[in-house]
Amino acid sequence: MTIAAVQSNPTPAILPGSGGLRGALSDLFWRRPKFLLTLMLLPPLLWLGIVYIGSLFALLAQSFFSIDEFSGLINREFTLKTYGDLFQAANLDIILRTVTMAALVTLASAIIAFPIAYYAARYARGRWKALFYLGVMLPLWSSYLVKIYAWKLILAKEGILTWLLAKLNLLWLLDAWLSLPIVGGNSLSVSFTGTFIVFVYVWLPFMILPVQAALERVPGNLVEASSDLGASPGQTFRNVLFPLALPGIVAGSIFTFSLTLGDYIIPQIIGTSRLFIGQAVYSQQGTAGNIPLAAAFTVVPIVIMGFYLWGAKRMGAFDAL
């Protein structure tokens, strides 16, 4: 086609409208992009605002009601009596036990995760790094309940762990540990220690990945410079690696701490009769029928995690997520 032919039949700069409802909507969205953005965000915002946040506000409202001690019916008058019940010895013991377990699980997960994450960030390359990610993520692909019941069999008195310790002539050590108050029991599968072990196993991947991501951001020349300046490996860890990896550790602790704080299935299957917050909520709203006290118990981890997230944000943990 010649230049003269192109000039004689120029293409219009603006194409004609397609007409009909489709064309009218297309023109409207083109002229009002903010209106299109609002329509796209409306369904998820309604879901988040009504179903999720709305249910939390309904739960919060229920916590300000109380149970009539004679009729067992809910008294829908505003009161702080239910929150006062949380400070009774039995309920306060449940809260302290849960927070203690969450803190111990978080600390143990950080200690175990750091060397694994450090090796993956500094030394794993190619197929070894792919194998690392596969090994960390693979437990998350299996059923949650299957993993817990498998651990119940492993930790049982007739389980493989007891058999292994007997073969190593270390059964006396297990018996001595199980004889201790609070942490012991008839077997590991019905003890505070068994609950702790399973919590660490289940939530450990949520600690490894943020720590590994934080360590990968640490420039290798900083470690080399620390060594060149005469710092020992311990000094390099305390003054270089740990401070730079701390946001990743705190980011991982958000997951391990909050998931342990709200879980009720693991303590229900593996552990003693001493309740955790999740079990208390399930018991109060189900067997006891005390919805206000169940709601008040539910508010406790929300408040705790609110302060925890505020502190984590100040430490830069969200940058490591």
Side-chain angles (χ1 to χ4, degrees):
M1 183 179 294
T2 63
I3 297 177
V6 173
Q7 291 177 347
S8 61
N9 297 302
T11 303
I14 301 178
L15 297 176
S18 57
L21 179 61
R22 180 180 177 183
L25 288 176
S26 178
D27 295 341
L28 176 64
F29 294 152
W30 182 78
R31 292 189 179 94
R32 300 179 180 274
K34 291 184 179 180
F35 179 67
L36 174 61
L37 181 63
T38 302
L39 287 181
M40 293 175 63
L41 293 177
L42 190 60
L45 286 177
L46 286 176
W47 173 267
L48 181 65
I50 297 177
V51 178
Y52 184 70
I53 298 179
S55 62
L56 287 179
F57 275 112
L59 182 68
L60 180 63
Q62 291 278 354
S63 67
F64 290 105
F65 299 152
S66 63
I67 284 287
D68 189 279
E69 297 179 357
F70 296 100
S71 65
L73 299 177
I74 298 177
N75 183 10
R76 300 183 182 278
E77 295 181 0
F78 183 88
T79 179
L80 295 177
K81 177 181 177 298
T82 305
Y83 283 102
D85 293 340
L86 291 178
F87 292 95
Q88 293 179 359
N91 295 331
L92 193 59
D93 183 57
I94 292 173
I95 296 172
L96 293 177
R97 182 183 305 114
T98 307
V99 174
T100 301
M101 174 64 80
L104 291 175
V105 168
T106 300
L107 180 62
S109 298
I111 294 173
I112 297 172
F114 195 93
I116 300 173
Y118 181 80
Y119 177 83
R122 290 295 170 197
Y123 300 106
R125 295 291 183 272
R127 66 177 61 183
W128 288 107
K129 178 156 286 193
L131 185 63
F132 160 78
Y133 284 116
L134 181 64
V136 173
M137 298 298 294
L138 191 60
L140 300 178
W141 299 346
S142 58
S143 171
Y144 178 73
L145 285 175
V146 169
K147 290 186 292 186
I148 297 173
Y149 277 109
W151 269 102
K152 187 173 182 64
L153 294 176
I154 293 172
L155 299 175
K157 183 173 291 187
E158 302 81 10
I160 188 173
L161 184 60
T162 304
W163 173 84
L164 179 61
L165 292 175
K167 290 293 182 181
L168 297 174
N169 295 321
L170 294 176
L171 197 57
W172 61 270
L173 183 61
L174 176 62
D175 293 336
W177 180 264
L178 292 177
S179 64
L180 296 175
I182 300 177
V183 298
N186 293 329
S187 69
L188 284 174
S189 62
V190 288
S191 66
F192 194 84
T193 304
T195 309
F196 168 78
I197 292 173
V198 179
F199 267 134
V200 172
Y201 167 79
V202 172
W203 307 138
L204 184 60
F206 295 96
M207 177 65 78
I208 293 176
L209 294 177
V211 174
Q212 187 258 345
L215 287 172
E216 282 195 338
R217 297 192 185 103
V218 179
N221 55 9
L222 289 181
V223 180
E224 296 173 0
S226 176
S227 178
D228 292 341
L229 292 173
S232 65
Q235 291 174 324
T236 301
F237 172 78
R238 291 191 301 270
N239 300 318
V240 179
L241 279 177
F242 184 74
L244 294 176
L246 187 59
I249 297 173
V250 178
S253 72
I254 293 173
F255 296 109
T256 57
F257 189 83
S258 62
L259 291 171
T260 305
L261 205 61
D263 192 281
Y264 79 96
I265 297 178
I266 292 177
Q268 187 76 18
I269 298 175
I270 298 177
T272 64
S273 59
R274 296 190 291 268
L275 299 180
F276 287 75
I277 288 179
Q279 293 171 287
V281 172
Y282 181 80
S283 174
Q284 292 296 334
Q285 66 87 28
T287 306
N290 193 341
I291 302 294
L293 185 56
F297 262 119
T298 307
V299 172
V300 172
I302 295 176
V303 173
I304 293 174
M305 285 309 303
F307 285 105
Y308 198 92
L309 291 174
W310 174 76
K313 185 176 184 298
R314 290 178 59 88
M315 300 180 69
F318 292 168
D319 297 331
L321 291 175

